[in-house]
Amino acid sequence: QVKLVAAGGGLVQAGGSLSLSCSASGRTFSSYAMGWFRQAPGKEREFVAAISGSGDRTAYADSVKGRFVTSRDNAKNTVYLQSNSLKPEDTAVYYCAASVLYSRDSTLYAYWGQGTQVSVSS
């Protein structure tokens, strides 16, 4: 069982930055790949970024590539999403999730955080 708690959302102007974090319970954090997903009002949840358990592999949605960076600190049981050059279309609830498989597929993620709101004004 993994419990995830996301933090760091907020309101920012277009072009600004936000740093999201997601803290996990448990002693096997490094065994899990971590993913970031987002859901905007009226839209389906979509993949944003993923990082392997050791942190040696990362993947990004085309829409955020070059602007967002995910990283992790396994000693602190925490994964991060640094979001730069934010656009109004980045507005969504952002979720962190844990999976035993490194994947972009949300259905493979068994554990989910509660979500944190990111709002970008134009």
Side-chain angles (χ1 to χ4, degrees):
Q1 188 77 9
V2 178
K3 183 177 180 180
L4 303 174
V5 179
L11 174 63
V12 64
Q13 289 188 331
S17 298
L18 279 175
S19 180
L20 307 184
S21 65
C22 177
S23 299
S25 64
R27 294 175 290 179
T28 59
F29 180 65
S30 61
S31 299
Y32 292 92
M34 298 298 296
W36 291 95
F37 297 84
R38 67 186 182 186
Q39 188 167 18
K43 295 188 176 181
E44 294 188 352
R45 188 173 297 184
E46 65 174 359
F47 169 77
V48 176
I51 185 166
S52 61
S54 64
D56 62 340
R57 290 178 291 169
T58 55
Y60 299 92
D62 288 345
S63 59
V64 306
K65 196 174 295 182
R67 300 188 297 121
F68 289 15
V69 177
T70 188
S71 61
R72 66 191 296 160
D73 185 339
N74 286 341
K76 295 182 178 180
N77 279 16
T78 302
V79 62
Y80 305 94
L81 183 69
Q82 178 64 40
S83 308
N84 303 317
S85 302
L86 283 160
K87 305 175 181 180
E89 51 264 43
D90 294 317
T91 295
V93 177
Y94 283 69
Y95 298 88
C96 59
S99 173
V100 294
L101 296 174
Y102 172 65
S103 174
R104 297 170 179 251
D105 185 350
S106 64
T107 64
L108 297 180
Y109 285 78
Y111 305 103
W112 291 80
Q114 84 284 10
T116 184
Q117 177 71 46
V118 171
S119 298
V120 185
S121 62
S122 57

